[in-house]
Amino acid sequence: MALVSVIIPTFNGGATLPMPVASVARQTHRDIELIIVDDGSNDDTRAVAERLLGGLDFPSRIISHPTNLGLSCARNTGLAEARGEWIQFLDSDDRIAPTKIAAQMRVATAAEPDIASVYSPFQTFAMVGSASQALGPVQFPDVENIHPVGFLLHSGFVHLSATLTRRSAMLAVGGFLQAAVPWEDDEIKVRMALAGYRFRRVPSADPAFFWRLYPEQQRWGGAKARYRMERVAYGLLAAVRLALQGAAPNQAALSPGLLNGLNDQFTSQVRLMYREDRSLGDAFLGALLSYYPDFRPASPSAARRFAPFVGVRRFERSVGNLRVVQRAIRHIRR
């Protein structure tokens, strides 16, 4: 069997680490090593990790950063220490199915050298007390022949932990970029695709990876959200420009599906930015139009005909005002 390196980056993950470590311990593929990268935690993460690793029957170790450097830096530390050619990344609150690595390695070991990553279906879940509860259907991504920009669209999303990825491919493109947060998982796929690497699907009817979400926490938004909305929006813009190598979407010979998907996603980002702050929305829309002058809102359906006459910025301000009124009416009706 070929060695697979499992890398778990964690920051203050003492309460959640048992779940991913237990799922690694249950793997039917036994030629594995586990590397936990403690990214400057100030809770009991180190003590919990030492206890968990003490019960494993395969090589494992903990690497500690003296201060918190961020997820991308923690992953890069794990990459530098890994001895396996194929890497399983796993966040400190997620888990993988017992046969995930074995099923994916059957495909990976036969893959051509330009296959950077093999991937499987995945599913989201939440913890309700001590029980795991599925939050949605199993996701079956298909990105075997996708354009690099497709990785940035909802339709092309493949969670990094649902893959096994070649260590050499990630190192060849420079590893993860902290500046790309929160698009770092997708941005490195874009760079690998631009470098000529391909991605291969592992046939399966069942999820191989389980991604924990937190319904009580807003993922994108203001100060209390996990990610600030402006970082999400500008990160998407930067990643799209990278994927299209500077060309505007309508000048990049994209398929109608990809172009419509980009317009949908940009429209969503613009609306969310306006919802958070009018000035931030204006600034982001200005940056978007500077790069993509022909951008037109994807919704409502009449927007593409109507917006050019009043100006996209004025149109989006009107949409924002309408939504404020709609929220007020809903609040009164309650």
Side-chain angles (χ1 to χ4, degrees), residues 146-153 190 193 239-241 243-244 254 258 262:
I146 200 169
H147 186 286
V149 79
F151 287 112
L152 305 172
L153 303 181
V190 168
V240 170
R241 295 186 69 156
L244 300 182
L254 297 176
L258 283 177
L262 271 179

Side-chain angles (χ1 to χ4, degrees), residues 2-4 29 86 100-110 118 164:
L3 177 67
V4 173
H29 181 98
W86 291 92
K100 178 190 187 291
I101 293 178
Q104 292 185 330
M105 282 301 291
R106 284 194 290 271
V107 175
T109 52
V118 299
L164 283 183

Side-chain angles (χ1 to χ4, degrees), residues 65-109:
H65 288 167
T67 58
N68 180 247
L69 301 178
L71 178 60
S72 291
C73 292
R75 286 175 173 164
N76 288 337
T77 293
L79 276 178
E81 293 288 330
R83 295 184 295 114
E85 170 62 357
W86 291 92
I87 306 296
Q88 168 69 62
F89 287 104
L90 187 59
D91 289 347
S92 61
D93 53 359
D94 298 331
R95 68 182 192 272
I96 52 178
T99 59
K100 178 190 187 291
I101 293 178
Q104 292 185 330
M105 282 301 291
R106 284 194 290 271
V107 175
T109 52

Side-chain angles (χ1 to χ4, degrees), residues 25-307:
R26 288 193 293 266
Q27 291 303 295
T28 57
H29 181 98
R30 302 308 296 172
D31 194 3
I32 55 179
E33 65 170 358
L34 174 58
I35 302 170
I36 294 179
V37 182
D38 179 9
D39 189 27
S41 298
N42 51 35
D43 67 349
D44 61 348
T45 292
R46 177 82 193 199
V48 170
E50 289 175 346
R51 174 177 56 81
L52 293 171
L53 269 53
L56 301 179
D57 61 357
F58 48 81
S60 60
R61 56 196 183 278
I62 305 167
I63 303 169
S64 295
H65 288 167
T67 58
N68 180 247
L69 301 178
L71 178 60
S72 291
C73 292
R75 286 175 173 164
N76 288 337
T77 293
L79 276 178
E81 293 288 330
R83 295 184 295 114
E85 170 62 357
W86 291 92
I87 306 296
Q88 168 69 62
F89 287 104
L90 187 59
D91 289 347
S92 61
D93 53 359
D94 298 331
R95 68 182 192 272
I96 52 178
T99 59
K100 178 190 187 291
I101 293 178
Q104 292 185 330
M105 282 301 291
R106 284 194 290 271
V107 175
T109 52
E112 300 91 330
D114 65 338
I115 298 296
S117 183
V118 299
Y119 61 93
S120 297
F122 62 94
Q123 188 172 34
T124 57
F125 75 98
M127 295 302 296
V128 180
S130 59
S132 173
Q133 183 178 86
L135 288 182
V138 178
Q139 302 295 309
F140 293 90
D142 182 2
V143 298
E144 289 204 4
N145 299 299
I146 200 169
H147 186 286
V149 79
F151 287 112
L152 305 172
L153 303 181
H154 299 306
S155 59
F157 175 67
V158 182
H159 197 290
L160 181 68
S161 294
T163 75
L164 283 183
T165 303
R166 284 191 197 269
R167 177 174 176 269
S168 57
M170 288 183 281
L171 293 177
V173 299
F176 294 89
L177 300 182
Q178 189 64 31
V181 174
W183 295 93
E184 66 272 37
D185 292 8
D186 309 297
E187 192 269 353
I188 195 172
K189 298 188 196 90
V190 168
R191 283 186 284 125
M192 288 191 291
L194 290 173
Y197 287 103
R198 296 184 293 138
F199 304 78
R200 180 155 293 167
R201 181 173 49 184
V202 176
S204 175
D206 301 311
F209 164 66
F210 300 89
W211 177 22
R212 182 176 178 179
L213 298 181
Y214 296 82
E216 71 279 5
Q217 181 187 35
Q218 186 178 4
R219 187 169 176 81
W220 297 353
K224 294 183 179 180
R226 183 171 183 180
Y227 299 113
R228 295 298 294 267
M229 195 60 238
E230 57 265 37
R231 190 162 195 179
V232 174
Y234 283 101
L236 172 64
L237 184 57
V240 170
R241 295 186 69 156
L242 170 68
L244 300 182
Q245 299 180 290
N250 62 320
Q251 301 295 325
L254 297 176
S255 69
L258 283 177
L259 185 57
N260 290 337
L262 271 179
N263 287 332
D264 285 342
Q265 204 136 326
F266 278 137
T267 299
S268 175
Q269 299 296 303
V270 168
R271 302 270 166 85
L272 288 169
M273 286 286 279
Y274 270 108
R275 185 181 301 174
E276 289 301 317
D277 185 283
R278 175 65 61 85
S279 63
L280 290 177
D282 277 344
F284 176 67
L285 182 56
L288 175 59
L289 290 172
S290 177
Y291 160 59
Y292 182 12
D294 292 325
F295 166 73
R296 298 292 181 267
S299 62
S301 57
R304 299 189 66 80
R305 296 191 302 271
F306 182 66

